[in-house]
Amino acid sequence: YSVDEKNLYAQLLFETDITKQHNIAVGASLNHDFLNQRYRLSHDADLPLTHSREKETVAGAYAQYTFNLDTRLTLMAGLRADHSSVYGTFLTPRMHIKWQPNGVFSLRASAGKGYRTAHPLAEMNYLMASGRQLAVSEDLKQESAWNYGLSTGLNIPLLGETLKVNAEYYYTRFSSQVMADYDSD
């Protein structure tokens, strides 16, 4: 397996405080990925190498609004729209909330959608060492998932210093995920 990967990424961002409590950020980005792969999916050296080229360009724009109530409550909502040359147009919303009633305790919650393009051979190339014959589906979909999380923090004064204790829980629920099937023939 041999791969030549090239990536180009550009981003523009504008952020401003409308007032002390209101902030807005808007931006645009462009991401171009190119993978030139040469591989043999079988351990049979007499089979010819397969050559594939994968290209994807994703252009997107986003807006994010943040509301700060003193230093105790922060709410942030964002929406991103992207267009992929392979998968079309998709939206990714997100929301974050932080509550800090005092300097000791804080609580955060977040939720958002995420998308990702999988490159199975590049990401799971260790499977080529197994001696198994590999098959990669021709019609892979883009991975998509909802992400949720909670975290809490304590800042405890201790002997003139601050002891920071954090606990967090995050969960990802995939609606589409690329997985290796080790058991099918």
Side-chain angles (χ1 to χ4, degrees), residues 9-181:
Y9 181 76
Q11 178 179 356
L12 294 171
L13 169 68
F14 174 77
E15 182 175 4
T16 186
D17 291 329
I18 300 168
T19 67
K20 186 178 178 184
Q21 293 181 321
H22 305 277
N23 174 283
I24 192 158
V26 295
S29 65
L30 178 71
N31 187 57
H32 177 74
D33 282 319
F34 174 77
L35 276 79
N36 186 10
Q37 302 179 102
R38 291 165 302 286
Y39 54 88
R40 186 177 292 121
L41 294 178
S42 170
H43 61 279
D44 186 351
D46 293 331
L47 289 175
L49 281 173
T50 301
H51 193 132
S52 77
R53 291 188 169 120
E54 296 178 28
K55 292 190 295 187
E56 182 182 20
T57 302
V58 179
Y62 58 91
Q64 175 177 294
Y65 169 74
T66 305
F67 173 73
N68 290 300
L69 181 63
D70 301 325
T71 58
R72 295 180 11 199
L73 181 66
T74 303
L75 304 170
M76 192 280 297
L79 182 64
R80 179 176 181 88
D82 288 291
H83 181 77
S84 164
S85 61
V86 177
Y87 298 105
T89 302
F90 49 94
L91 296 175
T92 52
R94 68 180 185 159
M95 171 72 90
H96 300 275
I97 299 169
K98 177 185 173 189
W99 178 55
Q100 188 169 358
N102 53 46
V104 176
F105 176 76
S106 67
L107 182 65
R108 293 182 173 97
S110 63
K113 181 86 173 179
Y115 292 91
R116 189 179 88 84
T117 298
H119 301 286
L121 291 178
E123 295 165 12
M124 297 182 240
N125 58 19
Y126 59 89
L127 292 174
M128 293 180 183
S130 71
R132 295 181 180 184
Q133 185 171 347
L134 304 178
V136 178
S137 176
E138 295 290 325
D139 61 342
L140 291 178
K141 294 181 171 57
Q142 190 175 39
E143 291 186 324
S144 64
W146 282 96
N147 304 291
Y148 309 96
L150 288 172
S151 68
T152 185
L154 290 172
N155 295 324
I156 304 168
L158 184 66
L159 303 172
E161 298 290 331
T162 301
L163 173 65
K164 296 183 178 187
V165 179
N166 296 311
E168 52 189 45
Y169 175 78
Y170 289 92
Y171 178 74
T172 300
R173 182 178 178 167
F174 282 91
S175 50
S176 177
Q177 182 179 18
V178 173
M179 299 190 59
D181 180 357

